[in-house]
Amino acid sequence: DAKTTQPPSMDCAEGRAANLPCNHSTISGNEYVYWYRQIHSQGPQYIIHGLKNNETNEMASLIITEDRKSSTLILPHATLRDTAVYYCIVRVGLHGQNFVFGPGTRLSVLP
Amino acid sequence: EPEVTQTPSHQVTQMGQEVILRCVPISNHLYFYWYRQILGQKVEFLVSFYNNEISEKSEIFDDQFSVERPDGSNFTLKIRSTKLEDSAMYFCASSEAGLGEQYFGPGTRLTVT
């Protein structure tokens, strides 16, 4: 699976959009971009995933560049409860394949 | 909304003892996984399970570990003879056939003394 690079930490003001970047320059054609987050020591929580088109759900939006070498997770109106470690993972979109978690980005939403 | 559940939430055991961690995956899911996270470190994959057999396992998942789906709802991780370094949060996850995303349980904190 392709490697990803994320900033180790970011701050965001409550109510503002949080934009979390991820570089995955070695991504291959059949690999998806997945985003998870982990609040404290809770289980990782699935957020969103995409292949090449931008995606939006009730939690977030995922913007993937045309060359697919990078992506941005957008939390449109961050709240204090969005404070967590966010993981960008690139992986083939097959069932049964494990996820390889990196260190992620620690997002702090500030009041 | 359906979710993965795990029991117990915290397990304390003495070194050398056997432990069984239990998980109830989401009911229509067919793929099951165990991950662990040592305090302050990354989430690490242990094993995946499908159709009553292990489909993939990591180097961590040695002969001391085993998994089982004893009935139609439970998925268990057994550690035969626990070591101090087995102390970690253990997360169970499941996924639906044909889809990539996995849904994680809240975890079991295992403390080996």
Side-chain angles (χ1 to χ4, degrees), chain B residues 67-87:
Chain B
V67 289
E68 192 179 31
R69 187 152 164 84
D71 53 42
S73 58
N74 289 284
F75 179 51
T76 62
L77 174 70
K78 182 194 289 187
I79 308 175
R80 260 179 276 280
S81 177
T82 51
K83 304 188 276 271
L84 294 176
E85 53 265 36
D86 293 327
S87 294

Side-chain angles (χ1 to χ4, degrees), chain A residues 15-32:
Chain A
R16 303 295 294 267
N19 297 281
L20 292 96
C22 179
N23 285 318
H24 32 80
S25 58
T26 60
I27 193 170
S28 58
N30 63 345
E31 289 181 316
Y32 287 70

